[in-house]
Amino acid sequence: MLARLSGMLQRTLLQSRGTIARRALCSSSIHYQEQASQQGLAQKLERSAAPKTLTTYKKPFSPRKQYLFREYDRYFAQSPAVIIVQHYNLSGAEQTEQRIKLKAEAQGARLMIARSKMVQAVLRDTRYENMAQLFSGPSAFIFWDQDVADPLVAMRQAMDAIQRQRKIVVVGAVFGDVLLNTAMLKDFVNLPNIDQLRAQLLGAIQYPAQKLTAILQRVPQRLVGVLEQKAQGESGKPDSE
């Protein structure tokens, strides 16, 4: 009798757990669908071919994968620049610390731990397709989901923020349509900003003019000096008569 009651109780518990799991799965699916519908008008990457909608088994991708695809697509489309990094044994606390630091020090930059295969699928047939090769192994990327006044300065600030974390290694970046390796990226972020370039250009233009002005100012002074010396010399000569 007790064995039968125990069996019935176990079956009831299993059924209730299954019901809860199905409800949670349904709720999660609804959540991702709602998020996807809200992002329907979001900016997207331009593609030369339509993205895949079915798996190799001819089944639709799960709501979670569809949601991640749209999220990655939106991030790459909206961000003025993307920095790709690899992370090694980065703990959850270290990820949180790095995200807070980037947001505070790099004009709202965000760190996203990437699913490499998903990112490669997102970048396929887009202008960023050559960047897909950088997403290999434990990858992440830094991006901006808002407008920044000077993307070059923001990239430099992000590089400064992550260089203190030894578990994060920069492997490349994209600015506009240009793919940058690590050496090119370091040279690029050290370029002067637009205001500094204007000041340098103005200085280069003004310097010859200032030099010419100084020369022209020295000529009358020398001429006056010569005339004064000549006048003094003539006044010092005795009268011939």
Side-chain angles (χ1 to χ4, degrees):
M1 184 68 178
L2 290 175
R4 291 179 60 188
L5 289 174
S6 177
M8 292 174 62
L9 181 60
Q10 289 181 358
R11 285 194 297 272
T12 303
L13 288 173
L14 288 173
Q15 290 175 357
S16 62
R17 288 177 182 175
T19 302
I20 293 172
R22 284 192 296 272
R23 288 178 179 176
L25 182 62
C26 181
S27 176
S28 176
S29 177
I30 293 172
H31 168 74
Y32 289 126
Q33 289 174 359
E34 289 177 350
Q35 291 289 332
S37 63
Q38 292 175 3
Q39 298 167 4
L41 300 177
Q43 190 174 352
K44 298 179 181 179
L45 289 173
E46 295 183 0
R47 303 177 184 279
S48 59
K52 292 174 60 178
T53 57
L54 299 176
T55 68
T56 54
Y57 300 103
K58 306 301 181 182
K59 292 183 179 180
F61 290 106
S62 67
R64 173 175 170 75
K65 288 185 177 180
Q66 293 180 35
Y67 169 75
L68 285 176
F69 187 97
R70 292 187 180 94
E71 283 286 276
Y72 288 163
D73 188 81
R74 181 170 62 89
Y75 295 155
F76 287 115
Q78 293 181 348
S79 183
V82 178
I83 301 174
I84 303 99
V85 302
Q86 287 190 340
H87 59 94
Y88 300 95
N89 299 321
L90 198 65
S91 66
E94 289 170 333
Q95 291 180 30
T96 302
E97 179 185 2
Q98 200 63 55
R99 286 189 174 103
I100 294 172
K101 189 175 295 185
L102 281 167
K103 185 175 182 180
E105 300 179 7
Q107 303 184 43
R110 294 182 59 186
L111 175 66
M112 173 66 65
I113 304 299
R115 296 181 62 177
S116 298
K117 294 295 184 182
M118 179 65 71
V119 172
Q120 292 171 5
V122 170
L123 300 179
R124 191 179 298 122
D125 300 319
T126 71
R127 60 177 181 171
Y128 292 147
E129 188 169 12
N130 57 352
M131 183 172 61
Q133 59 185 321
L134 299 179
F135 287 91
S136 176
S139 303
F141 59 96
I142 299 168
F143 68 100
W144 289 260
D145 58 356
Q146 58 187 10
D147 292 333
V148 292
D150 192 335
L152 183 60
V153 174
M155 292 177 71
R156 184 185 304 125
Q157 292 169 341
M159 294 283 288
D160 292 339
I162 63 176
Q163 70 178 359
R164 297 188 291 270
Q165 176 53 259
R166 296 183 179 180
K167 295 181 180 179
I168 294 179
V169 178
V170 177
V171 296
V174 167
F175 185 79
D177 295 336
V178 181
L179 179 64
L180 306 171
N181 59 28
T182 52
M184 294 168 62
L185 177 60
K186 289 179 181 179
D187 292 338
F188 183 71
V189 297
N190 289 324
L191 288 173
N193 59 30
I194 188 66
D195 293 331
Q196 293 173 332
L197 286 173
R198 286 172 179 166
Q200 291 177 5
L201 180 60
L202 185 61
I205 294 173
Q206 289 180 341
Y207 178 73
Q210 292 173 349
K211 190 174 181 180
L212 178 61
T213 302
I215 293 172
L216 292 175
Q217 288 175 348
R218 286 198 297 269
V219 169
Q221 292 174 357
R222 290 179 179 177
L223 181 60
V224 170
V226 170
L227 292 175
E228 286 179 350
Q229 290 177 1
K230 186 176 181 181
Q232 290 175 359
E234 291 179 352
S235 62
K237 290 182 180 180
D239 194 353
S240 59
E241 297 180 357

